Amino acid sequence: KAGVTQTPRYLIKTRGQQVTLSCSPISGHRSVSWYQQTPGQGLQFLFEYFSETQRNKGNFPGRFSGRQFSNSRSEMNVSTLELGDSALYLCASSPGSGARYNEQFFGPGTRLTVL
Amino acid sequence: QQQVKQSPQSLIVQKGGISIINCAYENTAFDYFPWYQQFPGKGPALLIAIRPDVSEKKEGRFTISFNKSAKQFSLHIMDSQPGDSATYFCAAGGAAGNKLTFGGGTRVLVKP
């Protein structure tokens, strides 16, 4: 099986712009979660989508949003970028149901730099 | 109540030695405890995971020990190899979906 793919791998944006990141989960997986990784705050949960519905949400401002499509692919959007949004954004795929429903497999991440 | 505390922050071990990383959690609703390994420039890779109904789980050179009453769990890496040099994260998750709360990470260096 192919792993989790994320595009683009690297992005440079300026303050005030918006950005959209994409994630394709492992085939057959219906849950996609997004995390932010920074040296200062570590790995923090953003949100989870399961069958096109947001199932969990972390403590991030409304500038961070996401969605999931019928083929389980997911996108996250950050509007009005701030310098502090510079981070590695990781997508994790899991079956979402069944015995191993919450085993999460991460993609390589998208490195976002905000100037 | 959502915190997961991980120690030590860094660890140096000789090749062939044992690496031990500890984590403690507060929220008793957590029922899934995975460990991840991350190399520079890569996403975290799932190593091994445990649920509270068992006290130990072993997969190859990696063992998780779980103490439910103390709300602690640990990762033991036996016969550590230079290729094990990476950052290791513990995490905890609950029954409601796939929200994982991560520890701060431990940077492990295995010296040849």
Side-chain angles (χ1 to χ4, degrees):
Chain A
K1 273 188 181 178
V4 179
T5 58
Q6 291 187 245
T7 56
R9 292 293 312 279
Y10 302 92
L11 263 180
I12 299 175
K13 292 285 187 179
T14 56
R15 277 180 299 175
Q17 287 187 308
Q18 75 165 14
V19 67
T20 299
L21 313 181
S22 181
C23 172
S24 292
I26 293 169
S27 177
H29 284 190
R30 295 166 61 195
S31 169
V32 173
S33 299
W34 289 89
Y35 293 83
Q36 182 196 64
Q37 185 174 26
T38 60
Q41 299 299 315
L43 275 154
Q44 293 187 289
F45 174 82
L46 279 154
F47 30 67
E48 179 209 3
Y49 286 86
F50 177 76
S51 293
E52 301 179 66
T53 301
Q54 189 179 85
R55 187 160 70 172
N56 278 291
K57 189 176 187 305
N59 297 322
F60 279 81
R63 300 186 296 108
F64 293 81
S65 63
R67 59 178 175 168
Q68 187 180 34
F69 303 95
S70 59
N71 61 358
S72 294
R73 191 177 69 85
S74 177
E75 289 181 347
M76 69 163 280
N77 184 79
V78 188
S79 62
T80 319
L81 283 166
E82 301 176 358
L83 295 178
D85 297 333
S86 294
L88 181 67
Y89 289 89
L90 292 158
C91 164
S93 157
S94 70
S97 60
R100 305 177 86 160
Y101 73 96
N102 58 356
E103 284 188 353
Q104 294 188 42
F105 300 90
F106 283 84
T110 294
R111 171 74 63 187
L112 172 64
T113 302
V114 182
L115 303 176
Chain B
Q1 253 219 325
Q2 292 295 318
Q3 257 190 324
V4 176
K5 294 182 180 178
Q6 183 172 346
S7 64
Q9 286 187 309
S10 63
L11 181 59
I12 299 174
V13 63
Q14 292 295 129
K15 179 182 174 183
I18 303 173
S19 304
I20 302 174
I21 306 169
N22 300 298
C23 284
Y25 63 96
E26 299 171 357
N27 189 344
T28 55
F30 288 143
D31 68 351
Y32 174 67
F33 302 90
W35 285 89
Y36 285 86
Q37 177 190 58
Q38 187 176 29
F39 293 104
K42 306 285 188 184
L46 179 62
L47 261 181
I48 185 172
I50 198 168
R51 297 191 187 274
D53 52 345
V54 297
S55 60
E56 187 174 282
K57 183 175 181 180
K58 183 176 180 179
E59 287 184 4
R61 296 185 293 109
F62 300 93
T63 300
I64 300 179
S65 297
F66 185 81
N67 185 330
K68 187 174 179 178
S69 60
K71 292 187 283 186
Q72 294 175 348
F73 57 110
S74 60
L75 176 71
H76 291 62
I77 307 173
M78 315 299 286
D79 187 25
S80 296
Q81 300 296 312
D84 296 333
S85 298
T87 301
Y88 293 81
F89 294 93
C90 64
N98 284 332
K99 177 180 178 178
L100 287 177
T101 300
F102 281 86
T106 298
R107 188 172 292 184
V108 174
L109 175 63
V110 182
K111 289 196 166 183

